[in-house]
Amino acid sequence: RHDQRSMSSVFPRSTIPRSHMPLHNQVYEDLSATCPTSDIFPNLQSIQWLPYSAERQRLALTFMHRRVKHLGLYLYRWDHASLAEHLGRIASACPNVTSLDLSFEQPIREYGDDILVLLQGLPHLHRLSVPIYCLSSRMFVHLSRHNRLEQVSLSNPDSTKTGDRVDIAQFSPVVPEGSFSALRCLSFSTQVIHATQLLRRSHFPLQLSELHLKTILIASPTALRELFSAVRDRCPA
């Protein structure tokens, strides 16, 4: 009966307390079968789902509905099922999500285009958080089309697996004109030289008020000067 509630699933395997006993899968099936309405916990607005195995990530769908605004997902790559299909069902169940936190068991390259299925199905997204080595060029270009996206941030490296820096070592997204029309805060990881190239591109969003860069290699003094000059020239706000 409260205006806002949140729900968390079990923790990733590495952080499961010794006394923790996960609910049997049948419990979720019984909830769906016996609930008198189609939406379980209809006032639920925030879900953080951190399953300890790939098989249990689908159980989050039991509680998802159109009034969910914040979604946190820890995603595994399935060998025996389609992750894209699963993420498409999440987007269909929760199309009004405005805040999305993603973390991954495997490096981002292992997920291919499946993550884009989820992002494409969330047109009202205002904020996205991903681990420090998971904002790839392809994901960046896709996000540039979200005209309501205000913030792209990197999660705390200590909170989840950070991925593989190889995936963002050649960070060179080319965004179209009119990209990131609402973006105000941007965080990304790459080499300093690639960050400078991104800032100098003609369609880079000039309305940024916050910029956070996680560098992955030591940069020369010249490269740093060029970066700072690009920030001065391209990020006046």
Side-chain angles (χ1 to χ4, degrees):
R1 296 180 181 178
H2 296 290
D3 291 336
Q4 182 172 355
R5 298 176 181 176
S6 63
M7 172 170 291
S8 296
S9 175
V10 293
F11 297 96
R13 186 181 299 277
S14 59
T15 60
I16 296 178
R18 291 184 179 181
S19 60
H20 178 73
M21 290 293 292
L23 292 174
H24 194 279
N25 291 10
Q26 186 64 43
V27 174
Y28 299 89
E29 296 177 10
D30 290 347
L31 277 171
S32 298
T34 59
C35 185
T37 65
S38 58
D39 296 340
I40 300 175
F41 303 129
N43 291 325
L44 190 68
Q45 295 186 23
S46 178
I47 299 177
Q48 185 180 22
W49 199 257
L50 308 174
Y52 69 88
S53 68
E55 292 75 15
R56 291 183 67 87
Q57 61 187 351
R58 65 177 178 83
L59 299 176
L61 286 164
T62 305
F63 306 105
M64 292 185 178
H65 52 70
R66 300 180 68 86
R67 286 174 291 282
V68 172
K69 298 294 185 181
H70 171 78
L71 195 57
L73 298 173
Y74 186 91
L75 297 174
Y76 294 81
R77 181 67 189 173
W78 270 320
D79 293 331
H80 62 282
S82 171
L83 180 61
E85 180 181 350
H86 172 64
L87 295 179
R89 292 178 64 190
I90 290 177
S92 296
C94 305
N96 298 316
V97 164
T98 60
S99 177
L100 178 64
D101 294 329
L102 295 177
S103 52
F104 308 95
E105 175 68 14
Q106 294 95 349
I108 192 64
R109 62 179 178 273
E110 300 293 335
Y111 296 81
D113 291 341
D114 291 351
I115 304 303
L116 305 186
V117 174
L118 174 62
L119 296 175
Q120 186 176 357
L122 302 177
H124 303 286
L125 194 63
H126 288 181
R127 189 190 71 85
L128 172 69
S129 175
V130 295
I132 60 174
Y133 300 139
C134 295
L135 183 58
S136 63
S137 295
R138 186 167 179 80
M139 185 186 297
F140 190 88
V141 172
H142 184 86
L143 290 173
S144 71
R145 306 186 184 103
H146 281 251
N147 57 14
R148 299 187 182 185
L149 189 63
E150 299 175 358
Q151 178 181 349
V152 177
S153 61
L154 303 178
S155 57
N156 188 330
D158 295 332
S159 62
T160 59
K161 292 189 176 182
T162 56
D164 188 344
R165 67 176 60 193
V166 171
D167 292 331
I168 46 89
Q170 300 299 323
F171 189 73
S172 57
V174 178
V175 297
E177 185 176 1
S179 300
F180 290 120
S181 57
L183 193 67
R184 294 296 182 271
C185 177
L186 173 62
S187 303
F188 62 101
S189 302
T190 189
Q191 302 180 49
V192 165
I193 185 173
H194 293 159
T196 303
Q197 291 170 354
L198 176 63
L199 291 172
R200 292 291 187 188
R201 291 203 170 98
S202 58
H203 298 319
F204 184 81
L206 302 181
Q207 74 279 4
L208 288 183
S209 57
E210 291 187 39
L211 179 65
H212 304 266
L213 171 63
K214 169 69 176 177
T215 61
I216 62 171
L217 290 176
I218 295 175
S220 68
T222 299
L224 284 175
R225 265 196 310 272
E226 292 175 352
L227 172 67
F228 296 150
S229 295
V231 172
R232 176 199 63 200
D233 297 339
R234 305 291 290 171
C235 303

